[in-house]
Amino acid sequence: MVSTGVIAIDATILATAVPSVVKDLGDFSLFPWLFSVYLLAQAVSVPIYAKLADTIGRKPLMLFGIGLFLLGSILCGFAWSMPALIAFRAVQGLGAGAVQPMSITIAGDIYSVAERAKAQGYIASVWAISSVVGPTLGGIFSQLNIWRWIFFVNIPLCLLAATLIYRNFHEKVERSRHRIDYLGSILLTVSMTLLILGVLEGGQAWAWTSLASIAVFAVGALLLAAFVLVERRAAEPVLPLWVLSRRLLLTTSLLSLGVGAILIGLTSFVPTYLENALGVEPLVAGLALASLTIGWPIAATLSGRLLYLRFGFRPTVLVGMVLAVAGTAILALAGRHPGVAVVAIACFTTGLGMGLVASPSLIAAQASVDWHDRGVVTGTNLFARSIGSAVGAAIFGAVANHVISASGRPETDPATATSSGTAVFVAVLVACVLTVAAGLAMPKVRADTAPAAPDGRAERTDVVSAEPATDRA
């Protein structure tokens, strides 16, 4: 929970301080990279960590991730320019790529499906606390013009998390030799970087139809295709394609992809929208955003006993998607008439929906495989969420930059902020509607619960049964 808190606070603390960071370092058009590069680094490293977790254990990787995140935080605190800050955010992302999936994987190891609902609720409660602490600290640091403490505050948290994991978490691992898919990792990193670069810089650094734009997208697509070919032949692929060959795992990964895009669209643009369109203080904007991550853990905590253990995972996910569509639709429709209360209500509703989608779909995916595959499945699911967030940040950033450029006025102009924010919210609504398709395609599944085994692992009867039989995991 403490390890998760390190990542959770970082996910919400920066968004409220973006205007202050831009005021100090400049280059507003580059600010989406603060989120995209972090999420891209997290995304491409998650499958590697997940594979290693199933061979050398969860604990070493958790400690390594915390240490790397700590290093990145210190470097970010001393950043002297926006490009430097972006580079150091990548280091943070590489650390977060280990911490977040390992914490969830550990919970999946030591609890049965029924117990996992409660355990995941405890972990989700960390996000509720962080959703208040993060924006509050971010707003305070921003108003005091000491935004660098956004990163320095991670130092004691990282040290505490590492100490607790080192002293209290013990595991038995059957160590085996492993081969790292370096070529696949490089191809994935470079291809996604080029595609995100093309989205973010298109219409800014170069025209969409220019040779540079076409070349970036073409090379990125070719490298992504090469990555797929490499993964088919790799002895230990960074992203096993078998994970995407099962309907349950494929649809839950697509759901996670959509969740990532929706979340980053709101967390990175709601505070900036409120601060520039209404002129509210960063602290107020942060608290409005906090309603999103308050709704999430509430729904996640209640989802098990009230919904998916009774009615199945698919109905739970569909209820969540209805709430998410309603919340994002309120934002899109009310965007032209900004108001803190309306934004907070819309974010809370969306958060409730996300809590009924993200946690149940991940638990369904985890419970469908044995221990030695659970790290890979968890990693793939969170990889999809990180890719969704990275690409979403790029697309939404491109939308906002286009509107700002077309207006001919600065991003701090209230009318421009209102227009760009509304455009982003409409794009988020579109992403939400597209995600509904993944929920509809998800097979009907139910949870067959069983107590945890003596060694902490779930018994073999701890599975997810899927209908029809061809989808049985």
Side-chain angles (χ1 to χ4, degrees), residues 11 59 118 129 147 199 250 421 427 453:
K59 184 174 182 177
K118 183 182 294 185
I129 297 171
W147 61 265
V199 172
L250 174 61

Side-chain angles (χ1 to χ4, degrees), residues 277-339:
L278 289 179
V280 302
E281 297 294 336
L283 180 58
V284 176
L287 292 176
L289 174 64
S291 62
L292 172 72
T293 39
I294 289 175
W296 179 312
I298 290 176
T301 302
L302 298 177
S303 63
R305 181 172 298 179
L306 296 182
L307 289 171
Y308 67 75
L309 289 177
R310 293 185 178 184
F311 306 107
F313 291 104
R314 185 171 179 265
T316 304
V317 167
L318 292 178
V319 170
M321 288 311 308
V322 169
L323 289 172
V325 170
T328 53
I330 292 173
L331 275 177
L333 294 174
R336 291 287 180 182
H337 308 284

Side-chain angles (χ1 to χ4, degrees), residues 241-468:
L241 298 183
W242 66 262
V243 174
L244 303 180
S245 67
R246 300 183 185 181
R247 184 179 168 191
L248 174 61
L249 299 181
L250 174 61
T251 52
T252 52
S253 294
L254 291 175
L255 284 167
S256 190
L257 186 81
V259 167
I262 295 164
L263 279 179
I264 198 64
L266 299 183
T267 56
S268 59
F269 285 95
V270 163
T272 302
Y273 165 76
L274 289 176
E275 290 176 45
N276 290 336
L278 289 179
V280 302
E281 297 294 336
L283 180 58
V284 176
L287 292 176
L289 174 64
S291 62
L292 172 72
T293 39
I294 289 175
W296 179 312
I298 290 176
T301 302
L302 298 177
S303 63
R305 181 172 298 179
L306 296 182
L307 289 171
Y308 67 75
L309 289 177
R310 293 185 178 184
F311 306 107
F313 291 104
R314 185 171 179 265
T316 304
V317 167
L318 292 178
V319 170
M321 288 311 308
V322 169
L323 289 172
V325 170
T328 53
I330 292 173
L331 275 177
L333 294 174
R336 291 287 180 182
H337 308 284
V340 176
V342 173
V343 170
I345 292 172
C347 286
F348 181 74
T349 304
T350 305
L352 287 175
M354 292 294 94
L356 295 179
V357 174
S359 295
S361 61
L362 175 57
I363 291 172
Q366 285 182 329
S368 69
V369 296
D370 294 325
W371 181 92
H372 63 275
D373 287 327
R374 192 167 292 146
V376 170
V377 168
T378 303
T380 301
N381 191 279
L382 295 182
F383 166 79
R385 186 185 300 181
S386 296
I387 287 293
S389 294
V391 175
I395 293 175
F396 301 142
V399 169
N401 285 335
H402 174 73
V403 174
I404 293 170
S405 297
S407 70
R409 294 186 295 268
E411 70 277 358
T412 54
D413 177 73
T416 301
T418 299
S419 298
S420 61
T422 301
V424 169
F425 297 151
V426 171
V428 172
L429 173 60
V430 172
C432 196
V433 172
L434 292 175
T435 307
V436 173
L440 293 172
M442 185 178 177
K444 294 180 180 180
V445 295
R446 69 180 188 274
D448 295 328
T449 61
D455 64 355
R457 299 182 188 179
E459 295 283 7
R460 285 288 294 118
T461 53
D462 176 14
V463 300
V464 168
S465 300
E467 301 296 341

Side-chain angles (χ1 to χ4, degrees), residues 161-180:
T163 300
L164 290 173
I165 289 291
Y166 180 78
R167 293 181 58 183
N168 298 294
F169 177 55
H170 308 284
E171 60 178 348
K172 294 181 180 179
V173 181
E174 297 179 3
R175 299 185 182 276
S176 59
R177 297 182 62 182
H178 54 276
R179 299 173 61 183
I180 303 299

